[in-house]
Amino acid sequence: QSVLTQPPSVSGAPGQRVTISCTGTSSNLGAGYDVHWFQQIPGTAPRLLIVSNSRRPSGVPDRFSGFKSGTSAALVITGLQAEDEADYYCQSFDTFRGSMSVFGGGTKLTVL
Amino acid sequence: QVKLVESGGGVVQSGKSLRLSCEGSGFDFYSFAFHWARQAPGGGLEWVAQIRDDGSDMDYSDAVKGRFTISRDNTKNTLFLDMDSLRPEDTAVYFCVKDSSNTWSYFDYWGQGTLVIVSS
């Protein structure tokens, strides 16, 4: 069971908007720690998608956005494209048992 | 550009040891913290261990604490993960991950990973 909770799967048609949620607790997101998002195409290494809740690294399309409020965060993808089909992971920092990084369980995005 | 290349993976019997290495290039290796993360077959990402830029501070996940040791050689731009008392549940692709700062911030670059299979 992951420390951060994500839905196992989401789907959407090309051009649509999808939201992937990430729910934490008072020892991670609720403690003020930032959330970061990664995209992983199966068989490849994860790629940094969103930094510190809402910032896009260079090269990431503006179709990807993120936000965080309290113990929850979300990744929003607008104008869905076939190439967005991938696994998405949220990640943050947790201090419940020392200082450690934690991931969500991952969400499989299917583009219909 | 930033490049991280892991090596050392393979098939090993339960209870045995293995050492993973990760060589970095294209940046000032000594200035950044590093992590190891892993992904079991068909599973999600799991953080394993972290070490700050000068090697003075390390942390481990509960799953590997006492069995794995993270270290680095800044003169050789290389990160290590010594894995002892391996278990079948340690079977995974192990990723070397660069942090964006000298301590714990966010993961900005990942290696391609090296597969470790622990047979029972």
Side-chain angles (χ1 to χ4, degrees), chain A residues 46-110:
Chain A
R47 165 200 180 195
L48 181 61
L49 203 61
I50 296 289
V51 173
S52 300
N53 309 320
S54 60
R55 183 165 62 88
R56 280 188 311 276
S58 173
V60 175
D62 59 7
R63 303 185 293 102
F64 295 90
S65 61
F67 65 89
K68 170 182 174 269
S69 178
T71 59
S72 295
L75 172 70
V76 180
I77 310 172
T78 57
L80 207 56
Q81 298 182 3
E83 67 207 49
D84 298 333
E85 186 160 295
D87 297 317
Y88 293 83
Y89 294 89
C90 61
Q91 179 258 321
S92 186
F93 199 72
D94 189 280
T95 57
F96 182 67
R97 285 193 297 273
S99 302
M100 59 189 336
S101 293
V102 289
F103 286 98
T107 299
K108 169 69 179 175
L109 168 61
T110 300

Side-chain angles (χ1 to χ4, degrees), chain A residues 38 40 45 51 55 89 97 100, chain B residues 39 44 47 62 106 110-111:
Chain A
F38 298 88
Q40 186 182 32
V51 173
R55 183 165 62 88
Y89 294 89
R97 285 193 297 273
M100 59 189 336
Chain B
Q39 186 169 36
W47 172 80
D62 288 347
Y106 62 88
W110 296 63

Side-chain angles (χ1 to χ4, degrees), chain B residues 46-57:
Chain B
E46 179 188 9
W47 172 80
V48 172
Q50 61 195 14
I51 185 168
R52 65 166 298 162
D53 58 341
D54 60 3
S56 62
D57 192 15

